[in-house]
Amino acid sequence: MVQGWIARPPTKRDELAGEAMARLRREGVDRPVLSVGMGTSAEAVGARELFDAFRERLRGEDVELLELGSLGICGADPVVGLQLPGRPRVDFGPVGLDEVDSFAGALLRAKLPKGTMLGQHGAVGCRGEVPWKGVPSLEAHPFFRGQTRRVLARCGLVAPRSIDEALARGSWRSYAAIVSTRTREELCDFVEASGLRGRGGGGYPAGRKWQAALEAEGDQKYLLCNGDESDPGAFMDRALVEGDPHRVLEGLAIAAYAIGATRALVALRDEYEIAVSVMEHAVAEARRLGLLGENVLESGVSLEVEVLRGAGAFVCGEETALIRSLEGRRGMPRPRPPWPSSHGYDGRPTVVHNVETLANLPVLFELGIEAYKAVGTSASPGTKVFCLTGPVRRPGLVEVAMGTTLRSILEGPGGGMMEGRSCKAMQLGGPSGLCLPEGELDLALCWEAVDRQGAMIGSGGLVALSEEACMVDMARYFMAFLQQQSCGKCIPCREGTRRMLEILEAVVESGGAVSPGTALERFRGVLVLEGLGEVMADTSLCGLGRTAPNPVLSLLRWFREELEAHVFERRCPAGVCPGLRHGAREVEA
Amino acid sequence: MSIVVNGRIVAAEGGELLLHVLRRAGVEVPTLCHMEGLEATGACRLCAVEVEGEKELVPSCSCRVRPDMVVTTHSPRAVRARRSIVELLLAAHPDDCLYCVRNGSCRLQELARELGIHQRRFPSPDFSGHIDASSPAVIRDADKCILCSRCVRVCGEVQTVTALDFTGRGTDLEVACTLGKGLNVTTCVACGQCVRVCPTGALHERLHLDAVIEALADPRRKVFVQLSSAAALSLAPSFGLKAGVDLQGRFVAAMGALGFDRVFDSSAASDLLLREQAREWAERLGGGKGGPFIATHSPAVVSFIETYHPDLLPFLSRHKSSRQILGAVARRWLADVEGFDPDSIVSVAVSPCVAAKAECLRDMVEGRRADVDHVLTIRELQSLMAMQGIDPSRLDERPCDRPFVRGSSAGRLVILPGGWAEGLLRSLHPLLTGRESSTGEIRFLRGTADLRTGSVSVGSRELSVAVASGLGNVRSLLDELADGTADWDLLDLLACSGGCLYGGGQLHDFDEADTLSARRLLLKNDRDASQRLAHRSSTLACLDEGLLDDLEEIERERLFFAHRGKRDVLR
């Protein structure tokens, strides 16, 4: 039934199918439904055990139990949703194992349990659902209020392992229409006109990549999905694949069709076990329904998708390095040009897109260019997912319009810093991003403003740092990460990160493995940092090396006093660096 | 089209590499990792230049020129970047330059000097001190490695041996052998190309120099040396002698001045081997046992076949290399004819071949070690001559000693790819037809491509011949042979791309133009030579009369034939 519906234009939906679809969307249910938001971050705080306990407790009862993806409000994990017949779903979180009994009991009595309530979902009203009185709307929850949820819209609502549910919520509809009615050139023009830019870090216009790959000669073309997410503090790719794999897969299929690729590879980080299994399942389901494979929906278009497990190397964010590693070689970048669009995987024309970029495509085709661009700035249309972490009240996945300021994310969805803490800085864009001090938080998060500031959005990691963080130690930490993750191929990156780390170690340590040297030596080291950083940014082979000096540059630019206290007074004002004096400068009596 | 370089308009072709345009225009930007003919790897970043409109510096090795590009090669920004990069390399490199085998010929040293680096901005770290001396031919000093990737690329991409590759990441990146073991248990065939391309002292040949000095100093020893014609060709320019002029006689005199008791011409040994191999081949052809005949005087190719294609060993000529044959025959000659005490004889070879050093340690004949004790590369000979204050430009020419006085021009051609086949065909001709060949040149055997095939008529026979230099090309021929897609009558194989003039033991700074004029000279000499047939060389007549004619067949075999077998690595 589902398949038949797809082939027909959506306007001719018949009533029966419409009703079945509505049921799959759970617009009104016949029996109570209890759902648990699963996925890596929820399971890390016991969602799996909670789900099992509910299943045990509700055995034999007429209740539907559902495993869903994450809503993104990680601080509230595990999130439990309850939906009673005639009523909209109400979400709670965090829910503990000790609450299983009271939740189950309330559900069976068709009541709402006591617990930390997040809110009720919007009453869709198609079957006369009656909203709960006195229960706030989830959309009004401060975590969701400031967000514009497009790519995340279905995360936590759709069952990730059910293609029927995905279809009922609109997945694959754009693709089905596109393969039968649009030419490749039209698609490339469409995406070019939409201004869609890559979400993986560089913000490169997607349409331009497509055009180049479409025009490139090749007996075989490839579409690569980069889900080898390796930024510490970034997990949007994982959450997207775990929560709504068909959105990503549909985007992949659209892009593959646009460039004429008949083979696509989804590279997922090896550690992302759940994401890998969810994606593999989704690919198999889509294949079963004829959405992938040979002669898709009788359009003559073919696409084979393979899920590959990447080894989780930071440098593989660089597309040429990712391609090499997928080919079974060392994940090392190579000079561009030749660009992957003409000379990529297996030497064939290839387009590499990040998971979030692909997830944007179904959104774009659903909304159309005008509506898509209505959100965001003119040079950065659409939304961006950020991963907000650190000592904030509500950490999690936040999708906002491009151009939203750091401060409004921190204070809106994030709810500000935790009780008793104040914000010292926010680290934007992963280890090689900048640490922006509190005074710079009005920076708008769109490529044009961020570029002007010399910062980078990267994949969208956002770490709030409180007064308890030592910025010198943070710089050392990030530099250590970058030094380990450097592939070692080009000299400025390999040797530069090593020397920068050495200099920073001498500044934060008081002995042991690294000799702190004299104040003069440490000072000379700091002088070297600046020039070295410029050369690394100017000459490194790939983005990793070019941005590697950033942790040091933000230190020099905004936290010089803190650095100087370490260098000259051997004092760590934040009280972090062991062996150094802590606290504010002592004034001699 | 044209581009602007440092304010000057320079002609260029669309899509050309910027580096090539710069070099042609006489603008020198330094490079470390760049290798002509291979795809740019972009590792060293030294060739980075300023290009108008680009945010970052642009590496000229991987940048294709566009019309009206505006390039500044030595702006303060570009030079500062280069200096910083070299400073970073120096900070990770040992300082014991004065004790280094590459002192004076090190690219890193040269860059430090060119860029005027006189201040140490980074503290020097500790070094492991680990040296992999497990291979009989190639020594690896990992501390001195600057990770430029040249050895890895020549070993993998050109030679397809891949004995070396990168392991580890970031600061832990290093060039290592399979499973972190020594070079001796890898697929390494000791071609020495890694040594030739190494910019520093991280890779060098096992030095036999001290052993030779010791032998020369010992009055009880009778030391003979066989001098490859490549030596004079390669070393001449460094003594201010004109490249491309035959200076063999002066270098023979130099060898005498160094104290060698006998100096032999190795091309005379090539004559001997060409004659013997022609007989072997004729026998095979006559006996109806057709099949390919693999003729190579390259010990690295022999190891390569033993490693990768033991199935083809039956097609390999049974003969030793000419170097080993000379060693064996000369020992016999000096003992039997000249009456030297056999135990006092020391056999030395001067050769551009690094694999010849490994060959010294092989069992040549069952239970009998090789007949060359020490091999000096061209670099080692240069060093020995400098040490002894010998300048061939100031010496009078002299001929080599009996019996290996002077080879035919065919015997001298063998250092060029295709040269061996040409000499062999000339000597095969009378065996098949009963008359000498017209000795006309065979065009395709004289080409410069690394892989060449063609056919040659000898009498009524049409023989197909394939010539390959560089082990990657050798491999493709052997693979075709093994899977039956091709069927050559003769294969002339050399391990080093371009032949022995590009051997692993050649000078690091040997100029390409000088190499080309050396090649031209060899071809010209053959054209003008009075004796172009190896088997008619006067040396052979002298040898036959004085020694070989009196030998039993079994003794001849001991002198000429080598033992070969499947080579298992990683044991």
Side-chain angles (χ1 to χ4, degrees), chain B residues 219-247:
Chain B
R220 289 164 302 174
R221 301 270 174 201
K222 295 290 175 198
V223 189
F224 73 85
V225 64
Q226 47 179 309
L227 184 62
S228 162
S229 47
L233 293 169
S234 307
L235 284 172
S238 65
F239 289 101
L241 295 164
K242 204 169 157 231
V245 175
D246 195 353
L247 297 156

Side-chain angles (χ1 to χ4, degrees), chain A residues 218-269:
Chain A
D219 51 349
Q220 173 74 57
K221 294 181 184 178
Y222 289 94
L223 200 283
L224 257 56
C225 167
N226 183 1
D228 198 7
E229 191 172 47
S230 306
D231 265 26
F235 46 91
M236 62 281 286
D237 293 353
R238 189 188 70 207
L240 261 169
V241 173
E242 286 176 356
D244 191 2
H246 285 284
R247 186 186 289 282
V248 180
L249 208 49
E250 187 186 0
L252 179 82
I254 294 173
Y257 169 66
I259 64 162
T262 54
R263 288 195 61 195
L265 303 170
V266 182
L268 292 173
R269 189 175 173 164

Side-chain angles (χ1 to χ4, degrees), chain B residues 226-237 244-249 251-252 255 263-270 297 322-323 326 349-353 378 381 400 406-416 500-501 506 510 518-519 521-522 525:
Chain B
Q226 47 179 309
L227 184 62
S228 162
S229 47
L233 293 169
S234 307
L235 284 172
V245 175
D246 195 353
L247 297 156
Q248 181 78 351
F251 278 83
V252 173
M255 303 311 282
V263 185
F264 296 133
D265 182 5
S266 54
S267 49
S270 299
H297 57 110
S322 56
R323 187 172 26 253
L326 190 151
V350 170
S351 168
C353 186
I378 307 298
L381 177 62
C400 283
R406 185 171 175 84
S408 70
S409 65
R412 305 192 64 188
L413 272 184
V414 301
I415 59 175
L416 300 178
C500 306
L501 287 174
Q506 283 286 8
F510 195 32
R519 183 177 171 278
L521 175 72
L522 284 168
N525 279 355

Side-chain angles (χ1 to χ4, degrees), chain A residues 330 483 486 488-489 534 538-539, chain B residues 41 45 77 80 168 170-171:
Chain A
R330 285 175 62 81
Q483 185 261 319
S486 161
K489 182 176 179 180
E534 281 168 29
D538 213 9
T539 59
Chain B
T41 177
R45 322 305 288 171
R77 181 174 151 214
R80 186 181 73 145
T171 316

Side-chain angles (χ1 to χ4, degrees), chain B residues 14 75 187 220 242 278 507 512 552:
Chain B
S75 64
T187 50
R220 289 164 302 174
K242 204 169 157 231
L507 299 182
E512 179 67 21
E552 301 278 332

Side-chain angles (χ1 to χ4, degrees), chain A residues 376-462:
Chain A
T377 67
S378 59
S380 311
T383 59
K384 175 81 190 89
V385 181
F386 290 95
C387 294
L388 179 62
T389 53
V392 296
R393 247 183 268 255
R394 288 186 294 269
L397 277 177
V398 179
E399 183 177 0
V400 292
M402 280 270 171
T404 306
T405 65
L406 271 170
R407 194 182 302 283
S408 54
I409 292 178
L410 173 66
E411 285 167 7
M417 300 299 283
M418 283 163 69
E419 192 66 47
R421 309 259 187 110
S422 59
C423 181
K424 181 175 182 179
M426 285 193 89
Q427 212 258 347
L428 167 67
S432 51
L434 286 185
C435 272
L436 295 141
E438 210 278 336
E440 301 284 333
L441 294 190
D442 292 317
L443 175 69
L445 293 173
C446 52
W447 284 289
E448 56 276 25
V450 167
D451 284 351
R452 264 199 310 277
Q453 179 65 285
M456 54 185 266
I457 291 180
S459 57
L462 210 51

Side-chain angles (χ1 to χ4, degrees), chain A residues 325-400:
Chain A
S325 87
L326 293 182
E327 287 168 342
R329 302 193 277 165
R330 285 175 62 81
M332 281 181 159
R334 62 158 176 81
R336 297 177 302 185
W339 298 87
S341 51
S342 64
H343 201 88
Y345 183 80
D346 197 23
R348 306 305 207 316
T350 302
V351 163
V352 183
H353 276 313
N354 164 266
V355 168
E356 192 188 338
T357 315
L358 292 175
N360 263 280
L361 290 170
V363 176
L364 168 62
F365 284 97
E366 236 167 80
L367 295 174
I369 292 180
E370 207 166 305
Y372 183 82
K373 289 177 101 164
V375 160
T377 67
S378 59
S380 311
T383 59
K384 175 81 190 89
V385 181
F386 290 95
C387 294
L388 179 62
T389 53
V392 296
R393 247 183 268 255
R394 288 186 294 269
L397 277 177
V398 179
E399 183 177 0
V400 292

Side-chain angles (χ1 to χ4, degrees), chain A residues 288-304:
Chain A
R288 187 171 58 80
L289 295 190
L291 294 163
L292 296 175
E294 295 235 332
N295 193 14
V296 171
L297 301 171
E298 267 122 53
S299 61
V301 176
S302 296
L303 178 63
E304 293 299 337

